[in-house]
Every structure is written in C-alpha cells, then in structure tokens.
Amino acid sequence: MVRFKHRYLLCELVSDDSRCRLSLDDRVLSSLVRDTISRVHGTFGAAACSIGFAVRYLNAYTGIVLLRCRKEFYQLVWSALPFITYLENKGHRYPCFFNTLHVGGTIRTCQKFLIQYNRRQLLILLQNCTDEGEREAIQKSVTRSCLLEEEEESSEEAAEAME
Amino acid sequence: MSNAKERKHAKKMRNQPTNVTLSSGFGADKGVKHHNEPHPGTSRQWQTRVNPHSLPDPDVNEQSSSKMMFRKKGGWKAGPEGTSQEIPKYITASTFAQARAAEISAMLKAVTQKSSNSLVFQTLPRHMRRRAMSHNVKRLPRRLQEIAQKEAEKTVHQKKEHSKNKCHKARRCHMNRTLEFNRRQKKNIWLETHIWHAKRFHMVKKWGYCLGERPTVKSHRACYRAMTNRCLLQDLSYYCCLELKGKEEEILKALSEMCSIDTGLTFAAVHCLSGKRQGSLVLYRANKYPREMLGPVTFIWKSQRTPGDTSESRQLWIWLHPTLKQVGENTEETPHRWWIETCKNPDSVSLHYRQEAVFELLGGITSPAEIPAGTILGLTVGDPRINLPPKKSKALPNPEKCQDNEKVRQLLLEGVPVECTHSFIWNQDICKSVTENKILDQDLNRMRSELLVPGSQLILGPHESKIPILLIQQPGKVTGEDRLGWGSGWDVLLPKGWGMAFWIPFIYRGARVGGLKESAVHSQYKRSPSVPGDFPDCPAGMLFAEEQAKNLLEKYKRRPPAKRPNYVKLGTLAPFFCPWEQLTQDWELRGQAHEEPPVASSPNGKENDLRRSEMPCALMPKKTPQPSDKVGTSIDYPREAEEVMDAGCQEPVGPESITDQEASENHVAATGSQLCVLRSRKLLKQLSAWCGPSSEDNRAAWRAPGRAQQGLTREACLSILCHFPRALVWVSLSLLSKGSPEPHTMICVPTKEDFLQLRKDWHYCGPQESKHSDPFKSKILKQKEKKKREKRQKLGHTSSDGLAGEEPVAGQEALTLGLWSGPLPRVTLHCSRTLLGFVTQGDFSMAVGCGEALGFVSLTGLLDVLSSQPAAQRGLVLLRPPASLQYRFARIAIEV
C-alpha cells in the first residue's frame, strides 16, 4: 500500500529542574521544537518539518518523548534537537536538554526499543543502588515489568474462562 | 469526523499508551498514578499491591533515602512553599523505577496486543498466507489461532441467517424451483419469457410486471438495423386484454360514448367491424371528449361466421397498456381478463388450406408495410419446437419462391379475405385444451434422444400439437410524408403457455430481442407518441411524469453541486418535468391580451361582456405573480391584467362567433382549468398545412382536397382557440443543422433578429441565452451559515434548542443549489426567447440522420407564432436543452 513514510525520534528530556517536568506538555513541546528548527534551519527548514510533525507520546515522569516527522526531513529535526537548551513556559525558563535514544520507522519499533532501554536502565539502577529499601523497591518493579507479560496473559485467560 | 470513523479510530488506539503529564494526574498520589494504564481497575489493583510494601517502611527511612537522592542527583532545591504542594518534593529511586516499570508495561501492552482493525489473517505477511486459512483455523500459525477462533465465532453471529435449510440439489429440483419462482413473482408478475430475459436484460419492475428494460450487450445500432431491415422481437404479453361479449349494437352503443369520430375511426369502422382489420383509437371518459382522456387502445372484432346476421353475439378484444388497466376496468361493463388459450383439431380443413396459402403468399412480400394496415390472419400451426433449425440462422425473404404475382397483387389490393381471419384462438375451451396438452420440453428432448438416427427430424404424427395463432399486421409509420411504413411488423397472438416454445425458434431464425428502451426508440423513430409518457392529459401519463421527475431529481441530488448544472443560472425553470398547466395558462392569458384588442373594433353585445370578463378574473388569482428577479416581467403583470379586463369588454364580429364563444365558455366553465391534447384530425390537418413554409402549401392543399383550404387568418385562429383555450399539440421537430435534443428540451420562439442572422448565413447555429443570476445561492449560503452557528451554539449549551433548531431544517428541504425553488414564475417569459412547449422524446435519429424530437406545444402559442412569422420561414422554432445555453433551429411539423 502507498503511505506517507515517517521517522519517529525517541528522545529523553533531561532536566534538573522538576518544574520543567511539571510544565511538560505536548503543545509546549511541539512549539519548542518548531521554534528551534526555525531558529536553526530557517524558514525553509521550519516549513519542511512542519508537515506531519507531531508529538506522539510523552511521559512526564520518565521524560520520554516520541516525535514524528516526515522521512524526507527527519535529519533537520534530528539536528535541531541538540540546540534545545531550555524549556520556556509561562515566562519561566527551565534548563534542559534532549537525548535522542532511537530513530525508527514505526511507532512499534520505538516502543520495542523503549522496553529494552527501560529494562536496561532499571538494571543499572539496581546495580548502583546502595540503600536496602530502595533496592527492594526497585527489584519489585523490575520483576513486575518482566512478569507483566505473563500476568496479563493469565488475567486474560481468566476473563475468557469467565465468559 | 463521523461517528463510525471515530469509533474505528478509538478501537485502533485502544491499546496505545496515552500521554502522561504531571499536571493531569497530580495530587492523587505522588507520581504513582499511571494514565497509560488502559483499565483503571488494573492500575488500582497495582497500587494496592504496592502500598502494603511502602506502608511498613518507616517514614523516616523514606525521607532519608530521598535526601540521599538529592545529594546524588545534586543541587535540587525545593521551591517556594506554594509550589511545593504541586510538584514532588523529591525524587526517590523507587518512584523513578516505578515510573519506568509502568512505562514498560504500557509499551509491552501496545507492542504485543493487536490493535489494528484488520483481521488476524490480514496481519500475516502475504507470503505466509494460505487460502485454506480463511475457513480452517488450524492452518494459521499457532500464536494466532486463538484470536482467529474468536473472530470466526464473531463473524458467524454477524452473518445473516442463510436460508440453506435445503441443499443445493434440493433447491434445484423442479418442484421447489417452481415454488420459489411463484413466491418471487407474487408482487410483480413474470412474463413467460422472464427467465430467458433475466439472463440477458436489465430488468425493471414496472406496472406490476418484471420487464426487460434494455439488453446487457451493447446493441443500440444493431437493434436499429433489426428494426429497419430484419426483425426486432419483443414480448408484449404484459399488455392487458379486455374481452367484451354481447350483441354488436349494445357494445357499440356503450363504447360510442367513450370515443369521438373527431379523432379518427371508432369501434364501428366497417373494416374493423367485419373482423378483417385491427383498429386503434383513443378512449375518453364517457361523453367528456375532448377532455379526460383515458388512453390509447387497439381492438379487434371476432369475424362473423355468417355475415349480415346482426343478432349473433360478437366478441371484441381491447388491448390496453397496463398503466391504463385500472381506469379501463372501472368503466367497462363486462370485463373479462382474457388469457391466451388453446385449441385442438382444426375441423374445417379447406379453411386451413386457404389460410396456409395466404401465409405462403406473404413470403413473397418484401415488407409487411405493403399490405393494408391492421390486417388480421388466423392460422393453425404445428409445434415450432420440432422443426427447430439445428443451428441459429437468419431467415431471409425468398422472392423467387413466390412466382404467383397475380395472387400477390390481389392480396395487396384486397387484403386477407374475411374467412381467413378466423382462428380458434377465440374459443376459450380449445385454447385451454391446447395449453393443457402441450408436450413438455423434457419429453420432447427425451424423444429426440431416443431417435434411431441422432439429429434427424422428429415425427410425432397425430400427437403433434396444433396451435391456433393470430397474426395482426402493425402498420408502422403511417403519418407524415417520409419513410412511410417504416417499422411495420406483425403481432403474433399465442395461446397461454406457448410463449417460450415460439420464442426460441424466433430467435433461432435471426430475430433480435429488444426491451422497453428499444420500443421507446421504435416509437420515436416512428414519430408516434409512446405510452404512457406522451399522454400528459391522461392519469397514467401524469403519474409517469411525476415518477420520472422524482427519479431525475434524486439522480441530480446525488452529484455534488459543483459537478452538476446549475439550472437557475441556465434559465431552466423545470429541468425534470414539463409544467403543461402553467404553459397553457400563460399562453391563454397572452393570447387574450394580444389578440383581442385589434378585433375590438365593433363593440356589439354587452350582456356577454360580464360573463366574459368573469373568466379571466377567476383565473387571475391562480396566476398571482411571483416576485421575480427581473424588473421587466414584474412590471408587465399589472398592465396585462388590465388589458385582459379591457379585452373582456369587447366582442368578436358575427353571430356564429358569438355562439361559438358561448359554447366555448360553457365548455371552459364546465371543465375548469383542465388541459387537453388536440386530437381532432380535422384541426390537426389544418394546422399541419399551416405549419409548413409557403412553398409546401400546394402539397398540403392537395392532401386535403375535400375541404376548401383555409388561409391562416385571425378569424380561423380564433375559432379554433375558442374551442380549445388550453390545448397542446403533438409536434415533431427536426433540427436544421447540429444538435441532438433530449427530453425536457424547451421549444422556443425565435425573434426577428434570429431570422435575419439565419438568412445571412445558413450555417448559423443559433442564438445563445445569456447567463441568469442565481438569487437562491446567497440564501442557501446564509442558511448554511445559520445552521453552522446554531450547531456551535448547540455544542455550547446542549439544551434550550426547541423551535430555533427546527426552522432551518424546514427551509433546507425546499432549497437545492441549482434548482428553482418555490412556485415557478411565468414560464413563457423567463428566458430571452418566449417558451412555446417542451420535448418529451428526443435523440439523434439514425433513421433520418439528424437530431429529431417529439413534443407538445401550446396551441395558442403555435397559432400566435405561425401567424406572426413570414411565410418563407414559417414553422421554424428554437430548441434549447435544459443543461445548455445554446439555442438550435428546428423545423416544426404536425403529422396526421
């Protein structure tokens, strides 16, 4: 089938200021990226990237952001991301920066990558953790995330049995 | 986005994670709430599972750990006290980990669960798909089998309950099939040849029958060739037959009220009464001529055994179109639905031989048009299925075979002798027995297969059925001057049940079968009115017009406004129907306004004046002028009304004309505003003579030698108009150069400038109508805006919309972009050329080689135009199709 091909940029917003995360919003984010592109690549770049540009997923707790753009111009967006140094919202400026984790052709591949990435992060956190209580909590969440698949299946089966 | 689309989208996004922002779910519990969980239940579950673990942890411990985190991350400062409630004070490793874990679970759900709208089978890559997977779940990969099973169960429920209570073989069994067929033709009766037609034709349900409309193969030209040179076959058994039995005088007396000698021969015509010929006439409601027409019919009398014996009871068959049936049955005294029936054993052998001889002679005639119109010939024939040719072939006339020129000439001169018109088809008992004793196709085929020499002729001897049939000659084109006898042919009347037995042999002999469309083309080329579309004054015709208008409007509305003609801009008031009533009314008013003042030189009678003036006054309220966009017409109105009033005070010259007028007044008063179609042959002949240009006058005079040729004078016109104030005339139009008219084309009056142009240049195409403005467009736009605004308001506050919501909906129904809404303004004066009439059938005629049209014009208008045009160019009019601005010249002709 004929379709518009896209590129999905999976990024991580890193900020020390927690108020930055508070004000994180897809509208704020998209305007931020757009402004940066027009600043870096000019009017042409802004116009080229504005078609099909969207924020597909955003998680304020983890700072994960999924951006979509057309395949032809994804490099313009990609190259503009490092120039974002602060997030501006309601007159406040919060310093932050973007980490591009993955560039994928579909949302699905990005999601798959994100799962792997988060698991890795949790393991690293577990290894570095020194506190006992923390360690326990982290271990819990790690096992939960790993077992989740099976759990869901079992719950589904239960639901089917109910039917 | 429409509702269904939204639902589809929601279904697709069901498993996808949604955005998680702090502001949305903050304060419920610190950062633990997860919006990406599709089922709130599970998230709550999960929280409860988490909480017991966090509860035993001492608060101090947590705080200390959080402090540690600050240090680790470095430099996080708590905000002012106000904001500290809104944002998390500190980040712990556990919350961080929990957020990650929640995200992982959401993503896992999104990745693993199928959320697209496709079936399982469609999610498989193409190279892995197999055909058997569609019905056998086990052919699918094992991971998909479960989902596929669920899907299959779902579709079983959704599928409509199949009527497969019987297997295919049982359904094909003859008994069950006939049962099923009988069930299916309960509403619309099938003809005997229905199944044959249904395989080859586009079928329509019309008039209570299932009829073939047009062949599925491309055959317009082939059918035309069959009409002219060969044979076009049609199943007309949907025509209704009424049988009248009784004394000849009584029947004639009853029927004489329903027809008028003005329109031509009646039931009592000598040739028809003897049973020699078929007659055709137009029926009217009893004693209502020339108004309240019922419809055209054809009839045949059963020939008398002993001529001169008037006491003998006679049989009369009247053939009606099914649309006229209802009306017909109400008025006839002894209606007998007649079904074609059968007979056996011809007794008078000599008569049979004579009939056979006549039939042999017919082979020597090149065209059926040569013998007298409506000739009837009765025959008794053998089973046509037995001597079926082995291969489909064309039957060609063989003039050499018939050397007997003398006899042929006699036949042509005198027609078929009266004795030969006798047929046993008139006898019901015989017909019934023939139908019952018909050999089944199955048995015939079995006997054929048992023949010693395969493929040889089957000889049944005395067992072969003898079928009485009746041949009736159809005269074809009888009116006009060119192509006389075109499209002539034979009607074959068969006993019931023998339709298919004769149908197939006809086709094997090279006849081409046509449908309703072909019959319309045939009647158009013959320039004869088709039933029931071309009888606007009979109820069936009005019904037909209404239905046609409805269908055309529906079709028009299906197109987007930009892709359909804007009839308002084109100046077409009624593109889908012909407003005959209004046309004739307009012309009547115009006629009174224009013609009477000059005659008003001698004011004699005064007592009639009042009565005369009453009539237009009574008519005026119906014609209340609509506020039209043209200033000119709106000014016209009051002045004309005054003129009418003035005209009412005048009186034409001469005592006869006074009586004429009185009679006509009574007529008009009695029938009100009903329109009628002029069918009096005398008047039509007169008109047709006037229509032609002056050079043809001699010939026209020659054609009507008995009467003194009247000139086209005002007195003559007036005397006609007195009798028929609101009459239509059937005219045929042929275009001078380019253009092919279509139904509902407007017939207009050319101006003097048009004639000047035409005289200068004979290839002059014709004038153009200037574009009209569309006063409705702004209204529609306004309405749309209003609707939009209201919708927005509705969205704002859903209630408090009672009356305001209903009002625009009611207005919306009336307005369609591109169509004139509301009552029509004066139809005659709407365009730059005055409207005279409308075309009902029109197309490029392959018989003549130019565009031809048939239609009706207003009698008043026609006389007005003819008297005002110069003699050399008399009878020229302009045609303009509804979707075009171009006028084309055409010559008008009235064929009698």
Side-chain angles (χ1 to χ4, degrees):
Chain A
M1 264 205 351
V2 181
R3 63 185 170 110
F4 289 117
K5 297 209 170 173
H6 290 111
R7 282 286 174 269
Y8 293 91
L9 303 172
L10 187 68
C11 313
E12 187 184 28
L13 184 100
V14 183
S15 170
D16 294 337
D17 201 333
S18 86
R19 279 170 303 174
C20 170
R21 295 197 292 132
L22 181 64
S23 60
L24 194 59
D25 185 1
D26 56 347
R27 220 172 302 151
V28 173
L29 191 72
S30 64
S31 69
L32 174 71
V33 177
R34 268 172 221 269
D35 291 347
T36 318
I37 291 168
S38 67
R39 183 154 51 84
V40 177
H41 296 295
T43 314
F44 168 76
C49 296
S50 69
I51 309 164
F53 179 83
V55 178
R56 297 310 307 211
Y57 172 70
L58 179 144
N59 194 335
Y61 291 98
T62 54
I64 297 294
V65 168
L66 189 63
L67 302 176
R68 187 188 74 176
C69 58
R70 283 281 158 84
K71 188 189 162 194
E72 288 79 21
F73 300 106
Y74 81 98
Q75 281 178 331
L76 293 184
V77 182
W78 197 2
S79 57
L81 287 181
F83 291 90
I84 297 172
T85 51
Y86 55 85
L87 188 83
E88 192 168 358
N89 189 24
K90 290 171 191 165
H92 294 284
R93 279 190 171 191
Y94 312 111
C96 66
F97 64 90
F98 269 89
N99 236 348
T100 309
L101 305 175
H102 181 77
V103 180
T106 58
I107 296 181
R108 200 176 153 83
T109 55
C110 292
Q111 286 170 339
K112 279 180 178 168
F113 176 85
L114 189 60
I115 294 166
Q116 296 302 317
Y117 174 80
N118 276 340
R119 274 185 190 155
R120 245 183 292 142
Q121 289 288 305
L122 282 179
L123 284 181
I124 292 167
L125 198 66
L126 194 66
Q127 280 168 7
N128 292 349
C129 192
T130 49
D131 193 289
E132 261 317 298
E134 283 298 311
R135 202 180 176 82
E136 220 169 88
I138 293 165
Q139 231 164 6
K140 284 249 158 55
S141 52
V142 169
T143 49
R144 204 180 62 81
S145 71
C146 291
L147 288 173
L148 192 100
E149 233 172 307
E150 292 142 38
E151 261 178 44
E152 267 182 6
E153 269 171 24
S154 65
S155 71
E156 265 179 25
E157 273 164 22
E160 273 168 35
M162 292 282 281
E163 280 170 13
Chain B
M1 213 188 276
S2 70
N3 204 15
K5 233 177 176 180
E6 257 173 26
R7 235 182 295 135
K8 215 171 171 186
H9 185 73
K11 198 184 163 199
K12 197 176 175 186
M13 302 309 287
R14 167 181 63 168
N15 289 321
Q16 291 296 324
T18 49
N19 290 348
V20 181
T21 49
L22 280 173
S23 52
S24 57
F26 196 73
D29 44 47
K30 281 184 224 165
V32 190
K33 180 152 182 178
H34 296 281
H35 294 262
N36 41 10
E37 289 282 3
H39 310 293
T42 56
S43 73
R44 221 167 291 137
Q45 262 181 11
W46 180 70
Q47 279 163 26
T48 52
R49 220 179 295 147
V50 169
N51 284 342
H53 290 290
S54 54
L55 273 174
D57 291 340
D59 284 345
V60 188
N61 190 10
E62 200 172 326
Q63 272 183 356
S64 69
S65 73
S66 60
K67 272 171 196 161
M68 199 180 71
M69 276 294 287
F70 295 145
R71 247 169 272 136
K72 209 164 126 193
K73 285 261 176 182
W76 187 82
K77 279 174 193 166
E81 287 301 307
T83 54
S84 67
Q85 280 183 352
E86 291 169 17
I87 57 169
K89 270 183 187 158
Y90 30 72
I91 282 182
T92 60
S94 60
T95 50
F96 182 81
Q98 274 163 10
R100 298 287 140 144
E103 197 172 55
I104 288 176
S105 67
M107 290 297 157
L108 264 176
K109 193 171 165 51
V111 169
T112 51
Q113 291 206 345
K114 186 187 77 70
S115 61
S116 60
N117 289 312
S118 56
L119 298 172
V120 179
F121 179 74
Q122 290 167 328
T123 55
L124 265 185
R126 263 166 219 279
H127 66 276
M128 285 172 72
R129 295 183 197 168
R130 297 291 180 270
R131 201 177 70 133
M133 288 171 182
S134 56
H135 58 86
N136 189 355
V137 177
K138 297 229 164 141
R139 300 274 186 164
L140 278 164
R142 193 159 300 158
R143 67 185 166 89
L144 298 175
Q145 278 181 12
E146 227 172 281
I147 313 166
Q149 186 74 48
K150 256 191 266 171
E151 255 173 25
E153 277 164 18
K154 212 187 276 172
T155 50
V156 163
H157 287 301
Q158 281 173 358
K159 250 183 210 167
K160 221 172 77 181
E161 203 52 49
H162 229 276
S163 65
K164 269 190 179 173
N165 44 7
K166 284 174 194 155
C167 67
H168 177 77
K169 208 174 172 185
R171 267 183 286 134
R172 293 288 294 182
C173 141
H174 184 73
M175 269 278 289
N176 294 334
R177 270 190 111 186
T178 40
L179 271 179
E180 179 69 9
F181 286 166
N182 284 335
R183 186 189 65 77
R184 275 159 61 188
Q185 54 178 311
K186 252 181 211 159
K187 227 181 208 173
N188 293 291
I189 301 167
W190 289 0
L191 305 185
E192 278 178 30
T193 54
H194 175 85
I195 294 176
W196 189 93
H197 272 100
K199 290 172 184 167
R200 294 161 181 87
F201 278 70
H202 294 288
M203 304 300 284
V204 287
K205 294 190 170 87
K206 250 186 182 175
W207 312 314
Y209 291 88
C210 267
L211 304 175
E213 198 202 359
R214 57 182 202 280
T216 46
V217 289
K218 192 171 149 182
S219 61
H220 186 70
R221 206 166 273 268
C223 283
Y224 168 68
R225 269 187 229 121
M227 273 177 225
T228 42
N229 300 327
R230 303 197 185 293
C231 174
L232 188 78
L233 187 62
Q234 261 180 337
D235 192 349
L236 288 181
S237 43
Y238 60 90
Y239 267 68
C240 305
C241 181
L242 298 172
E243 190 184 56
L244 301 189
K245 263 186 194 167
K247 289 248 173 80
E248 184 183 311
E249 294 155 28
E250 283 172 16
I251 296 178
L252 281 180
K253 213 172 98 190
L255 290 174
S256 62
E257 291 174 354
M258 301 179 64
C259 48
S260 167
I261 203 139
D262 267 4
T263 59
L265 297 174
T266 59
F267 285 105
V270 180
H271 277 299
C272 304
L273 201 58
S274 66
K276 220 171 152 188
R277 305 267 178 87
Q278 182 193 36
S280 63
L281 48 81
V282 182
L283 280 187
Y284 289 86
R285 206 171 278 280
N287 295 327
K288 283 289 172 66
Y289 175 83
R291 286 166 187 85
E292 297 202 38
M293 201 268 275
L294 290 180
V297 294
T298 60
F299 64 94
I300 41 177
W301 286 95
K302 186 187 176 184
S303 61
Q304 284 163 305
R305 270 294 165 79
T306 48
D309 184 10
T310 49
S311 63
E312 194 187 0
S313 101
R314 300 282 310 257
Q315 256 177 303
L316 170 69
W317 285 352
I318 301 175
W319 293 93
L320 292 172
H321 195 270
T323 50
L324 319 170
K325 192 172 72 183
Q326 294 263 294
V327 191
E329 271 179 354
N330 295 338
T331 49
E332 302 300 337
E333 53 213 20
T334 52
H336 282 289
R337 275 303 286 281
W338 172 78
W339 293 110
I340 306 182
E341 277 133 36
T342 1
C343 83
K344 208 178 181 180
N345 281 339
D347 47 359
S348 57
V349 184
S350 65
L351 181 62
H352 178 63
Y353 281 135
R354 281 189 65 182
Q355 287 174 345
E356 197 180 333
V358 171
F359 187 68
E360 288 286 318
L361 282 177
L362 287 179
I365 298 167
T366 48
S367 161
E370 290 175 24
I371 39 175
T375 304
I376 299 172
L377 174 64
L379 288 175
T380 308
V381 298
D383 197 330
R385 291 172 295 178
I386 289 168
N387 40 22
L388 200 66
K391 252 186 153 181
K392 200 173 163 181
S393 58
K394 273 181 189 142
L396 294 171
N398 193 359
E400 286 85 44
K401 226 170 89 183
C402 300
Q403 298 294 337
D404 218 343
N405 277 330
E406 199 59 40
K407 275 186 185 170
V408 172
R409 208 168 300 141
Q410 199 183 351
L411 180 69
L412 293 185
L413 275 177
E414 291 173 9
V416 180
V418 184
E419 304 91 69
C420 289
T421 61
H422 176 259
S423 170
F424 289 100
I425 205 167
W426 291 96
N427 190 330
Q428 286 200 10
D429 299 332
I430 295 174
C431 279
K432 211 169 268 173
S433 87
V434 171
T435 306
E436 280 160 7
N437 295 328
K438 184 188 167 195
I439 305 171
L440 291 177
D441 279 4
Q442 199 185 356
D443 296 339
L444 261 184
N445 290 337
R446 190 175 43 76
M447 279 188 262
R448 243 184 230 138
S449 68
E450 282 167 1
L451 276 177
L452 266 183
V453 184
S456 66
Q457 182 92 34
L458 184 71
I459 297 160
L460 289 174
H463 293 291
E464 190 184 338
S465 355
K466 306 280 186 290
I467 305 119
I469 62 169
L470 208 58
L471 295 182
I472 303 168
Q473 197 258 3
Q474 286 295 323
K477 194 172 180 303
V478 283
T479 57
E481 284 155 8
D482 56 335
R483 297 188 291 119
L484 272 178
W486 184 92
S488 55
W490 291 93
D491 279 359
V492 184
L493 304 193
L494 302 172
K496 184 186 176 185
W498 283 90
M500 268 324 274
F502 279 82
W503 192 257
I504 298 293
F506 277 140
I507 291 157
Y508 264 61
R509 287 299 188 184
R512 182 171 269 280
V513 182
L516 291 176
K517 199 195 106 203
E518 275 67 38
S519 74
V521 169
H522 183 242
S523 75
Q524 189 193 329
Y525 289 176
K526 252 168 56 180
R527 294 187 197 145
S528 65
S530 73
V531 186
D534 292 335
F535 291 88
D537 52 343
C538 81
M542 285 179 223
L543 205 74
F544 176 83
E546 261 171 44
E547 226 159 76
Q548 196 186 28
K550 211 178 77 191
N551 289 341
L552 286 174
L553 181 68
E554 226 167 64
K555 202 174 167 192
Y556 179 78
K557 275 185 177 170
R558 275 206 295 269
R559 285 175 170 264
K563 300 283 182 292
R564 63 194 189 193
N566 185 336
Y567 286 120
V568 180
K569 277 193 176 174
L570 289 164
T572 313
L573 285 180
F576 306 135
F577 63 97
C578 307
W580 300 121
E581 292 274 350
Q582 229 179 338
L583 179 84
T584 47
Q585 271 179 23
D586 275 8
W587 271 106
E588 193 186 4
L589 284 179
R590 274 172 69 98
Q592 283 163 3
H594 282 273
E595 295 210 352
E596 298 206 359
V599 193
S601 49
S602 59
N604 293 352
K606 287 261 160 69
E607 69 279 12
N608 278 337
D609 303 351
L610 293 170
R611 221 184 308 160
R612 184 91 182 101
S613 60
E614 265 165 20
M615 187 184 67
C617 286
L619 288 175
M620 281 315 283
K622 285 180 205 156
K623 285 280 317 131
T624 34
Q626 297 302 319
S628 68
D629 49 340
K630 274 189 179 174
V631 186
T633 51
S634 61
I635 290 171
D636 270 354
Y637 269 102
R639 199 192 62 214
E640 260 182 28
E642 278 167 24
E643 272 179 8
V644 171
M645 300 298 270
D646 289 345
C649 305
Q650 318 302 335
E651 188 68 18
V653 214
E656 315 127 22
S657 59
I658 292 175
T659 53
D660 264 4
Q661 197 154 10
E662 275 180 335
S664 78
E665 268 172 41
N666 294 337
H667 235 86
V668 171
T671 54
S673 62
Q674 225 171 14
L675 85 158
C676 64
V677 174
L678 189 67
R679 289 203 179 82
S680 157
R681 289 179 68 84
K682 203 173 94 185
L683 286 178
L684 283 175
K685 267 183 187 150
Q686 175 103 60
L687 277 175
S688 86
W690 285 343
C691 268
S694 55
S695 58
E696 279 179 46
D697 266 1
N698 297 336
R699 207 151 24 119
W702 172 78
R703 272 174 59 209
R707 294 154 15 78
Q709 184 64 33
Q710 268 188 332
L712 181 54
T713 55
R714 179 148 284 136
E715 285 82 41
C717 289
L718 272 180
S719 72
I720 295 176
L721 287 181
C722 283
H723 285 291
F724 299 98
R726 284 185 195 174
L728 297 172
V729 193
W730 175 253
V731 293
S732 72
L733 305 136
S734 62
L735 283 124
L736 290 190
S737 55
K738 279 167 77 175
S740 85
E742 45 193 88
H744 308 300
T745 294
M746 289 162 278
I747 307 171
C748 301
V749 184
T751 58
K752 285 203 173 104
E753 293 82 58
D754 299 338
F755 279 127
L756 276 179
Q757 289 261 27
L758 188 67
R759 209 176 299 153
K760 264 188 223 156
D761 176 16
W762 271 105
H763 299 291
Y764 175 57
C765 282
Q768 285 223 341
E769 175 76 23
S770 54
K771 251 189 195 171
H772 293 231
S773 65
D774 188 350
F776 301 105
K777 199 171 179 179
S778 57
K779 266 190 213 167
I780 289 174
L781 282 178
K782 241 182 239 165
Q783 225 170 47
K784 247 187 201 168
E785 240 166 59
K786 202 176 164 192
K787 214 178 166 191
K788 229 185 232 173
R789 226 181 300 136
E790 245 153 54
K791 210 177 176 185
R792 222 173 292 149
Q793 279 177 3
K794 244 184 202 170
L795 283 176
H797 39 92
T798 45
S799 60
S800 83
D801 260 310
L803 285 168
E806 283 165 22
E807 190 188 26
V809 176
Q812 190 70 21
E813 282 175 353
L815 288 181
T816 309
L817 188 64
L819 282 184
W820 193 274
S821 61
L824 301 182
R826 288 196 73 162
V827 282
T828 47
L829 291 176
H830 185 68
C831 296
S832 60
R833 306 294 186 281
T834 318
L835 188 71
L836 196 62
F838 290 100
V839 166
T840 56
Q841 309 177 38
D843 197 3
F844 183 84
S845 165
M846 283 192 278
V848 194
C850 70
E852 262 203 326
L854 301 167
F856 289 98
V857 294
S858 160
L859 176 65
T860 326
L862 182 69
L863 288 175
D864 187 38
V865 168
L866 288 180
S867 54
S868 65
Q869 279 179 353
Q873 280 152 334
R874 195 168 285 168
L876 281 184
V877 287
L878 290 170
L879 291 187
R880 183 165 76 93
S884 161
L885 291 171
Q886 178 76 47
Y887 287 96
R888 305 264 184 204
F889 279 105
R891 182 168 294 288
I892 212 164
I894 295 172
E895 297 185 338
V896 189

